[in-house]
Amino acid sequence: MKVLTLSQPWATLVAIGAKKIETRSWNTRYRGPLLIHAAAGLGPGGKAGLVDLCETEPFTSVLAPLWSPGTFFAPVSLPFGAIVARCELTGLAQMCGEGYIRTLDTRVIFKPSRQELAFGDYTPGRYAWLLSDVQALPTPIPVKGQLGLWEWEGDLA
């Protein structure tokens, strides 16, 4: 099955259904089932960068409910180096300025929600991968990720 690796907290945002558009600098012809993999690394800025990002809105409001009331909000406890969700890649769009995107197949132009805009890079010329039917896995599956769209032969069961 095809897999796309995302840094945290974006992998978790997809898994919980808060992020339905993944922005990329590259296009793909692939459509169909897609697994979302949380990268093993902490991404730009390391631990401090992840914590700072998760302490800004709308990240805080969306991610905070993942922790039990009265417990410490710890972004570094998000899953890393694991497949966290399954979804469908239903289409692609291209950014066309001022936050608007145009689907590549139907040429429909629309503007994502403010939350979606905050969770992605909508620079003109980039691509929006449109995700649907997102299902978080009950238990993340530890897997070494790869760059780009990659193939995984494992079992989700």
Side-chain angles (χ1 to χ4, degrees):
M1 184 174 286
K2 298 286 186 194
V3 184
L4 184 64
T5 297
L6 307 179
S7 296
Q8 286 291 21
W10 294 277
T12 293
L13 292 171
V14 170
I16 64 175
K19 179 175 170 57
K20 295 180 173 68
I21 301 173
E22 170 54 21
T23 59
R24 297 266 128 181
S25 62
W26 48 280
N27 191 358
T28 182
R29 294 182 186 267
Y30 177 76
R31 305 291 184 275
L34 182 66
L35 297 175
I36 301 299
H37 176 266
L42 291 173
K47 181 179 177 181
L50 176 63
V51 170
D52 287 348
L53 178 66
C54 291
E55 289 179 347
T56 63
E57 289 297 339
F59 293 88
T60 301
S61 296
V62 173
L63 294 171
L66 298 177
W67 282 266
S68 301
T71 61
F72 180 67
F73 174 63
V76 293
S77 67
L78 294 169
F80 290 88
I83 294 171
V84 296
R86 176 190 175 122
C87 63
E88 292 289 320
L89 175 57
T90 56
L92 262 74
Q94 191 164 26
M95 284 51 147
C96 50
E98 298 182 27
Y100 286 92
I101 60 177
R102 181 181 62 243
T103 59
L104 298 180
D105 48 356
T106 60
R107 302 287 189 212
V108 172
I109 295 176
F110 67 98
K111 189 168 189 171
S113 70
R114 290 177 69 175
Q115 180 172 293
E116 282 287 354
L117 291 171
F119 291 157
D121 179 353
Y122 287 83
T123 303
R126 289 178 57 87
Y127 295 91
W129 294 34
L130 309 176
L131 309 174
S132 67
D133 193 27
V134 177
Q135 301 160 19
L137 299 184
T139 304
I141 301 170
V143 174
K144 183 177 180 182
Q146 299 178 32
L147 295 176
L149 196 56
W150 52 281
E151 196 71 33
W152 183 64
E153 301 297 331
D155 185 10
L156 291 176

